[in-house]
Amino acid sequence: MRTGWLTAVGLGLLAGGCTTPPEPPAAPPPAPATRALVAWAGTACAQAAQFDELRAQFDRLPKPGSPTGPGPDTAAFPLVGAVTGAASKVEGIVKALTKLEPSKIAAADQHLAALTKTLRDLQPKLPSARDAALILRDPDEEKKAKAKQIGDHLTAIEPQLAKLTGLAERTPELLSSHNLAPHCAPGKNRDDRARTLLSWMNTMCETTRSLAAMRTDPLNDPTLTDPRFARVADITLDQYLRSARETPAQVVKQLKPLPPTGIKAADDHRANVLAAVEDALPKLPNYGYNRPPLNSAPLNELKEQATQVAHILTALKPQPPSLAELAAPTPELATAHGLAPNCEPPASPAALPAAANGTNLAACQSGKCQIQVTDTAELSLRDFKFKITVAPSGVTVTHDSGLLRLGADSEGSFGKPGTTIKLRLAGHRENTAVLDITAS
């Protein structure tokens, strides 16, 4: 009896020892992509790619003791460009990362915070603008030594694009958005078709917005409507004519390489926009900024040319259907439109702050006021007479000896010995603006 009991117990123990352990819990599936995270990842990856390129640039430079080009000037050129440009490139990356809104994913935000700190710690080790002036006079071997020193600092920091991909693969909340984001190197579970469509739609939305923003009202510039500025009216028109090709040329550069989507309505739309812009380009002035000034022509002739150019540009403005309407019938294209950062609808204009002094311009005589101006107003203050013009494109302030253009949150001043007038744009919506004005 006792032996049988022991035998049964032994068998029970043996069976228990062979029991298969439970499976570990499956990793959570990646969260769906969102436009906000695609935009965040795209910006982070763009800056990481810039850093990696800077790092690689110094790897390619001649090292101390290595042979140079056919002459000292040839050898020095890439060295000087790299050494003098390193600080500004790192500064630009730091500014972009600092400006980037948090993703609200702890691991991602901690990663970028650590990278930003690393780059800030690197900045004091890079040559200042003053050092750059000395570098220009250094012998080639000294230039190489300085380039190597900077390269050593850069290569002490790991390549960043691959690190972001690794971060995304470990972070289910980020992975799907990262894999779709422009500039990112996609990781596991990539969807190349979705990525291609998002890139296509992102570019289409960017070019559509650029075409919509082109200026088509050159004759409404305050320098042309205020007789006090008749002497600079031709310069204003000259600048408008010279810059007329910039946006159309950029749009062609962006649209030409776009691959077909295989969706007829989308591909036809791109082809039609590209054809219209390419047809318009030869009709636009091609003076370039190195050509002789145009303002030797009579003012009326410049006005006529500007009017013709405005007419050509107006014909390139986006027409219905919108890209959202174009994408709607095709689910995969509609998804791409909904996730592409450049397709985000413009935010509603912020409500104007209530001006402390309303529309009472006389309040400015105290030397400090906050006033609301709609369309135009004239203000006399401390021997200055200003004309304020408010348009959807911005606010222009003119007086007898100068002109000031104000955009969002910008400020400027006029002055003469003993007097300074400062103006700050506190709010702007369509043809109405709120200005802070101080006199001292």
Side-chain angles (χ1 to χ4, degrees), residues 310-399:
H311 180 74
I312 294 169
L313 297 182
T314 299
L316 298 180
K317 295 275 188 173
Q319 302 295 322
S322 69
L323 284 169
E325 293 168 333
L326 182 76
T330 310
E332 60 178 350
L333 197 59
T335 298
H337 185 275
L339 292 173
N342 288 335
C343 300
E344 184 169 12
S348 299
L352 284 174
N357 302 109
T359 58
N360 181 18
L361 303 185
C364 297
Q365 300 306 316
S366 67
K368 184 176 182 180
C369 63
Q370 186 182 65
I371 56 169
Q372 178 174 305
V373 175
T374 298
D375 295 327
T376 62
E378 295 198 1
L379 172 65
S380 296
L381 180 61
R382 306 285 171 86
D383 298 327
F384 285 90
K385 186 174 183 180
F386 301 102
K387 182 175 181 179
I388 302 169
T389 305
V390 184
S393 57
V395 177
T396 305
V397 185
T398 57
H399 76 100

Side-chain angles (χ1 to χ4, degrees), residues 121-143:
D121 291 343
L122 171 65
Q123 285 180 288
K125 301 172 185 176
L126 301 177
S128 66
R130 186 172 181 180
D131 292 332
L134 297 175
I135 289 166
L136 295 173
R137 296 194 294 271
D138 286 342
D140 282 355
E141 282 304 306
E142 290 186 28
K143 290 185 177 75

